[in-house]
mmCIF file of all heavy atoms in Angstrom:
data_model
loop_
_atom_site.group_PDB
_atom_site.id
_atom_site.type_symbol
_atom_site.label_atom_id
_atom_site.label_comp_id
_atom_site.label_asym_id
_atom_site.label_seq_id
_atom_site.Cartn_x
_atom_site.Cartn_y
_atom_site.Cartn_z
ATOM 1 N N SER A 8 -20.271 -37.487 54.225
ATOM 2 C CA SER A 8 -20.575 -38.473 53.191
ATOM 3 C C SER A 8 -22.048 -38.356 52.858
ATOM 4 O O SER A 8 -22.862 -38.001 53.708
ATOM 5 C CB SER A 8 -20.272 -39.887 53.689
ATOM 6 O OG SER A 8 -18.895 -40.045 53.936
ATOM 7 N N PHE A 9 -22.389 -38.660 51.622
ATOM 8 C CA PHE A 9 -23.763 -38.532 51.155
ATOM 9 C C PHE A 9 -24.233 -39.822 50.509
ATOM 10 O O PHE A 9 -23.473 -40.476 49.800
ATOM 11 C CB PHE A 9 -23.881 -37.432 50.086
ATOM 12 C CG PHE A 9 -23.681 -36.044 50.598
ATOM 13 C CD1 PHE A 9 -22.416 -35.492 50.666
ATOM 14 C CD2 PHE A 9 -24.768 -35.289 51.004
ATOM 15 C CE1 PHE A 9 -22.230 -34.203 51.128
ATOM 16 C CE2 PHE A 9 -24.591 -33.996 51.464
ATOM 17 C CZ PHE A 9 -23.325 -33.455 51.530
ATOM 18 N N GLY A 10 -25.483 -40.135 50.730
ATOM 19 C CA GLY A 10 -26.186 -41.148 49.963
ATOM 20 C C GLY A 10 -27.223 -40.418 49.142
ATOM 21 O O GLY A 10 -28.093 -39.744 49.694
ATOM 22 N N ILE A 11 -27.104 -40.495 47.844
ATOM 23 C CA ILE A 11 -28.024 -39.778 46.958
ATOM 24 C C ILE A 11 -28.980 -40.785 46.337
ATOM 25 O O ILE A 11 -28.552 -41.795 45.772
ATOM 26 C CB ILE A 11 -27.254 -39.034 45.848
ATOM 27 C CG1 ILE A 11 -26.264 -38.047 46.454
ATOM 28 C CG2 ILE A 11 -28.226 -38.327 44.903
ATOM 29 C CD1 ILE A 11 -25.334 -37.408 45.426
ATOM 30 N N ALA A 12 -30.269 -40.501 46.448
ATOM 31 C CA ALA A 12 -31.283 -41.363 45.850
ATOM 32 C C ALA A 12 -32.259 -40.503 45.068
ATOM 33 O O ALA A 12 -32.595 -39.396 45.483
ATOM 34 C CB ALA A 12 -32.014 -42.154 46.920
ATOM 35 N N CYS A 13 -32.674 -41.019 43.961
ATOM 36 C CA CYS A 13 -33.615 -40.298 43.098
ATOM 37 C C CYS A 13 -34.595 -41.316 42.536
ATOM 38 O O CYS A 13 -34.205 -42.432 42.203
ATOM 39 C CB CYS A 13 -32.839 -39.630 41.966
ATOM 40 S SG CYS A 13 -33.874 -38.704 40.820
ATOM 41 N N THR A 14 -35.829 -40.912 42.444
ATOM 42 C CA THR A 14 -36.823 -41.807 41.879
ATOM 43 C C THR A 14 -37.955 -41.016 41.265
ATOM 44 O O THR A 14 -38.160 -39.851 41.599
ATOM 45 C CB THR A 14 -37.375 -42.771 42.950
ATOM 46 O OG1 THR A 14 -38.155 -43.774 42.308
ATOM 47 C CG2 THR A 14 -38.195 -42.057 43.993
ATOM 48 N N ARG A 15 -38.663 -41.638 40.368
ATOM 49 C CA ARG A 15 -39.905 -41.097 39.849
ATOM 50 C C ARG A 15 -41.011 -41.870 40.554
ATOM 51 O O ARG A 15 -41.172 -43.072 40.309
ATOM 52 C CB ARG A 15 -39.987 -41.295 38.343
ATOM 53 C CG ARG A 15 -39.078 -40.378 37.587
ATOM 54 C CD ARG A 15 -39.297 -40.555 36.085
ATOM 55 N NE ARG A 15 -38.553 -39.581 35.338
ATOM 56 C CZ ARG A 15 -37.274 -39.685 35.006
ATOM 57 N NH1 ARG A 15 -36.584 -40.736 35.400
ATOM 58 N NH2 ARG A 15 -36.666 -38.749 34.314
ATOM 59 N N PRO A 16 -41.750 -41.218 41.428
ATOM 60 C CA PRO A 16 -42.775 -41.938 42.195
ATOM 61 C C PRO A 16 -43.792 -42.628 41.282
ATOM 62 O O PRO A 16 -44.199 -42.085 40.264
ATOM 63 C CB PRO A 16 -43.453 -40.840 43.013
ATOM 64 C CG PRO A 16 -42.451 -39.733 43.066
ATOM 65 C CD PRO A 16 -41.690 -39.795 41.778
ATOM 66 N N GLN A 17 -44.127 -43.805 41.672
ATOM 67 C CA GLN A 17 -45.146 -44.587 40.983
ATOM 68 C C GLN A 17 -46.325 -44.768 41.941
ATOM 69 O O GLN A 17 -46.200 -44.539 43.141
ATOM 70 C CB GLN A 17 -44.579 -45.957 40.591
ATOM 71 C CG GLN A 17 -43.314 -45.903 39.768
ATOM 72 C CD GLN A 17 -43.534 -45.279 38.401
ATOM 73 O OE1 GLN A 17 -44.553 -45.528 37.765
ATOM 74 N NE2 GLN A 17 -42.601 -44.460 37.948
ATOM 75 N N THR A 18 -47.436 -45.201 41.433
ATOM 76 C CA THR A 18 -48.621 -45.401 42.256
ATOM 77 C C THR A 18 -48.327 -46.321 43.441
ATOM 78 O O THR A 18 -48.763 -46.079 44.554
ATOM 79 C CB THR A 18 -49.762 -46.004 41.415
ATOM 80 O OG1 THR A 18 -49.987 -45.158 40.293
ATOM 81 C CG2 THR A 18 -51.033 -46.129 42.218
ATOM 82 N N GLN A 19 -47.530 -47.357 43.222
ATOM 83 C CA GLN A 19 -47.230 -48.322 44.270
ATOM 84 C C GLN A 19 -46.025 -47.930 45.127
ATOM 85 O O GLN A 19 -45.660 -48.641 46.045
ATOM 86 C CB GLN A 19 -47.012 -49.717 43.664
ATOM 87 C CG GLN A 19 -45.769 -49.832 42.802
ATOM 88 C CD GLN A 19 -45.926 -49.365 41.353
ATOM 89 O OE1 GLN A 19 -46.915 -48.729 41.003
ATOM 90 N NE2 GLN A 19 -44.957 -49.662 40.524
ATOM 91 N N SER A 20 -45.409 -46.784 44.864
ATOM 92 C CA SER A 20 -44.237 -46.346 45.619
ATOM 93 C C SER A 20 -44.603 -46.021 47.064
ATOM 94 O O SER A 20 -45.662 -45.462 47.330
ATOM 95 C CB SER A 20 -43.623 -45.089 44.991
ATOM 96 O OG SER A 20 -43.148 -45.350 43.711
ATOM 97 N N LEU A 21 -43.695 -46.362 47.959
ATOM 98 C CA LEU A 21 -43.842 -46.017 49.367
ATOM 99 C C LEU A 21 -42.793 -44.976 49.730
ATOM 100 O O LEU A 21 -41.644 -45.090 49.292
ATOM 101 C CB LEU A 21 -43.672 -47.258 50.248
ATOM 102 C CG LEU A 21 -44.683 -48.375 50.018
ATOM 103 C CD1 LEU A 21 -44.312 -49.608 50.830
ATOM 104 C CD2 LEU A 21 -46.074 -47.891 50.384
ATOM 105 N N PRO A 22 -43.137 -43.970 50.535
ATOM 106 C CA PRO A 22 -42.179 -42.917 50.891
ATOM 107 C C PRO A 22 -40.897 -43.466 51.527
ATOM 108 O O PRO A 22 -39.818 -42.966 51.273
ATOM 109 C CB PRO A 22 -42.946 -42.040 51.881
ATOM 110 C CG PRO A 22 -44.379 -42.304 51.609
ATOM 111 C CD PRO A 22 -44.452 -43.724 51.123
ATOM 112 N N GLY A 23 -41.028 -44.516 52.309
ATOM 113 C CA GLY A 23 -39.858 -45.088 52.969
ATOM 114 C C GLY A 23 -38.849 -45.705 52.020
ATOM 115 O O GLY A 23 -37.679 -45.866 52.376
ATOM 116 N N GLU A 24 -39.261 -46.059 50.806
ATOM 117 C CA GLU A 24 -38.343 -46.668 49.844
ATOM 118 C C GLU A 24 -37.227 -45.705 49.451
ATOM 119 O O GLU A 24 -36.071 -46.101 49.342
ATOM 120 C CB GLU A 24 -39.100 -47.128 48.601
ATOM 121 C CG GLU A 24 -40.024 -48.296 48.855
ATOM 122 C CD GLU A 24 -40.879 -48.656 47.651
ATOM 123 O OE1 GLU A 24 -41.083 -47.801 46.758
ATOM 124 O OE2 GLU A 24 -41.359 -49.803 47.621
ATOM 125 N N LEU A 25 -37.564 -44.445 49.242
ATOM 126 C CA LEU A 25 -36.560 -43.457 48.857
ATOM 127 C C LEU A 25 -35.565 -43.241 50.001
ATOM 128 O O LEU A 25 -34.361 -43.165 49.778
ATOM 129 C CB LEU A 25 -37.213 -42.135 48.446
ATOM 130 C CG LEU A 25 -36.283 -41.068 47.899
ATOM 131 C CD1 LEU A 25 -35.553 -41.560 46.650
ATOM 132 C CD2 LEU A 25 -37.076 -39.810 47.575
ATOM 133 N N VAL A 26 -36.075 -43.172 51.224
ATOM 134 C CA VAL A 26 -35.206 -43.026 52.396
ATOM 135 C C VAL A 26 -34.301 -44.236 52.522
ATOM 136 O O VAL A 26 -33.093 -44.112 52.771
ATOM 137 C CB VAL A 26 -36.033 -42.819 53.680
ATOM 138 C CG1 VAL A 26 -35.150 -42.831 54.912
ATOM 139 C CG2 VAL A 26 -36.820 -41.516 53.601
ATOM 140 N N ALA A 27 -34.840 -45.430 52.319
ATOM 141 C CA ALA A 27 -34.038 -46.655 52.393
ATOM 142 C C ALA A 27 -32.956 -46.674 51.323
ATOM 143 O O ALA A 27 -31.815 -47.087 51.575
ATOM 144 C CB ALA A 27 -34.938 -47.885 52.275
ATOM 145 N N ASP A 28 -33.292 -46.214 50.120
ATOM 146 C CA ASP A 28 -32.303 -46.146 49.042
ATOM 147 C C ASP A 28 -31.171 -45.181 49.395
ATOM 148 O O ASP A 28 -29.996 -45.478 49.192
ATOM 149 C CB ASP A 28 -32.952 -45.692 47.730
ATOM 150 C CG ASP A 28 -33.855 -46.744 47.128
ATOM 151 O OD1 ASP A 28 -33.819 -47.907 47.568
ATOM 152 O OD2 ASP A 28 -34.616 -46.390 46.194
ATOM 153 N N ALA A 29 -31.532 -44.016 49.920
ATOM 154 C CA ALA A 29 -30.525 -43.024 50.303
ATOM 155 C C ALA A 29 -29.656 -43.557 51.435
ATOM 156 O O ALA A 29 -28.435 -43.374 51.427
ATOM 157 C CB ALA A 29 -31.193 -41.712 50.708
ATOM 158 N N ASP A 30 -30.261 -44.230 52.400
ATOM 159 C CA ASP A 30 -29.514 -44.783 53.528
ATOM 160 C C ASP A 30 -28.549 -45.870 53.060
ATOM 161 O O ASP A 30 -27.397 -45.925 53.505
ATOM 162 C CB ASP A 30 -30.484 -45.328 54.574
ATOM 163 C CG ASP A 30 -29.807 -45.623 55.885
ATOM 164 O OD1 ASP A 30 -29.075 -44.736 56.396
ATOM 165 O OD2 ASP A 30 -29.987 -46.740 56.423
ATOM 166 N N ALA A 31 -28.985 -46.730 52.155
ATOM 167 C CA ALA A 31 -28.111 -47.766 51.610
ATOM 168 C C ALA A 31 -26.949 -47.143 50.836
ATOM 169 O O ALA A 31 -25.800 -47.600 50.927
ATOM 170 C CB ALA A 31 -28.902 -48.718 50.707
ATOM 171 N N ALA A 32 -27.230 -46.087 50.086
ATOM 172 C CA ALA A 32 -26.172 -45.398 49.342
ATOM 173 C C ALA A 32 -25.186 -44.731 50.300
ATOM 174 O O ALA A 32 -23.972 -44.753 50.074
ATOM 175 C CB ALA A 32 -26.773 -44.374 48.391
ATOM 176 N N LEU A 33 -25.689 -44.149 51.381
ATOM 177 C CA LEU A 33 -24.811 -43.541 52.387
ATOM 178 C C LEU A 33 -23.890 -44.593 52.993
ATOM 179 O O LEU A 33 -22.694 -44.366 53.159
ATOM 180 C CB LEU A 33 -25.639 -42.863 53.479
ATOM 181 C CG LEU A 33 -24.857 -42.313 54.674
ATOM 182 C CD1 LEU A 33 -23.862 -41.249 54.238
ATOM 183 C CD2 LEU A 33 -25.821 -41.762 55.725
ATOM 184 N N TYR A 34 -24.427 -45.753 53.314
ATOM 185 C CA TYR A 34 -23.638 -46.845 53.877
ATOM 186 C C TYR A 34 -22.520 -47.237 52.910
ATOM 187 O O TYR A 34 -21.375 -47.425 53.311
ATOM 188 C CB TYR A 34 -24.554 -48.034 54.180
ATOM 189 C CG TYR A 34 -23.849 -49.207 54.790
ATOM 190 C CD1 TYR A 34 -23.443 -49.180 56.124
ATOM 191 C CD2 TYR A 34 -23.593 -50.351 54.044
ATOM 192 C CE1 TYR A 34 -22.791 -50.259 56.688
ATOM 193 C CE2 TYR A 34 -22.950 -51.439 54.605
ATOM 194 C CZ TYR A 34 -22.546 -51.395 55.921
ATOM 195 O OH TYR A 34 -21.897 -52.463 56.472
ATOM 196 N N LYS A 35 -22.826 -47.318 51.616
ATOM 197 C CA LYS A 35 -21.813 -47.655 50.615
ATOM 198 C C LYS A 35 -20.748 -46.565 50.530
ATOM 199 O O LYS A 35 -19.560 -46.864 50.361
ATOM 200 C CB LYS A 35 -22.453 -47.883 49.252
ATOM 201 C CG LYS A 35 -23.254 -49.165 49.194
ATOM 202 C CD LYS A 35 -23.916 -49.337 47.832
ATOM 203 C CE LYS A 35 -24.740 -50.613 47.802
ATOM 204 N NZ LYS A 35 -25.413 -50.811 46.508
ATOM 205 N N ALA A 36 -21.148 -45.302 50.634
ATOM 206 C CA ALA A 36 -20.173 -44.207 50.601
ATOM 207 C C ALA A 36 -19.220 -44.307 51.787
ATOM 208 O O ALA A 36 -18.010 -44.149 51.636
ATOM 209 C CB ALA A 36 -20.894 -42.857 50.611
ATOM 210 N N LYS A 37 -19.763 -44.597 52.957
ATOM 211 C CA LYS A 37 -18.919 -44.727 54.144
ATOM 212 C C LYS A 37 -17.978 -45.919 54.024
ATOM 213 O O LYS A 37 -16.806 -45.837 54.393
ATOM 214 C CB LYS A 37 -19.774 -44.846 55.401
ATOM 215 C CG LYS A 37 -20.461 -43.543 55.782
ATOM 216 C CD LYS A 37 -21.286 -43.713 57.037
ATOM 217 C CE LYS A 37 -21.889 -42.411 57.495
ATOM 218 N NZ LYS A 37 -22.647 -42.582 58.745
ATOM 219 N N LEU A 38 -18.470 -47.035 53.492
ATOM 220 C CA LEU A 38 -17.621 -48.211 53.297
ATOM 221 C C LEU A 38 -16.499 -47.947 52.302
ATOM 222 O O LEU A 38 -15.427 -48.526 52.399
ATOM 223 C CB LEU A 38 -18.452 -49.402 52.819
ATOM 224 C CG LEU A 38 -19.258 -50.144 53.864
ATOM 225 C CD1 LEU A 38 -20.054 -51.271 53.210
ATOM 226 C CD2 LEU A 38 -18.366 -50.706 54.955
ATOM 227 N N ALA A 39 -16.754 -47.075 51.344
ATOM 228 C CA ALA A 39 -15.759 -46.768 50.308
ATOM 229 C C ALA A 39 -14.687 -45.803 50.800
ATOM 230 O O ALA A 39 -13.760 -45.492 50.069
ATOM 231 C CB ALA A 39 -16.453 -46.193 49.077
#
């Protein structure tokens, strides 16, 4: 299963946000 996340980094972006987005998407894929 995959969690896919994509973003355009902004000045205020934190690296962990993209990982958190991908992890949340992975969780949704597994639940589905």
Side-chain angles (χ1 to χ4, degrees):
S8 296
F9 291 88
I11 301 172
C13 180
T14 190
R15 287 184 173 83
Q17 305 295 320
T18 305
Q19 67 277 12
S20 296
L21 299 173
E24 291 174 338
L25 186 60
V26 173
D28 289 347
D30 193 50
L33 174 61
Y34 181 75
K35 289 178 181 179
K37 288 180 176 182
L38 282 178

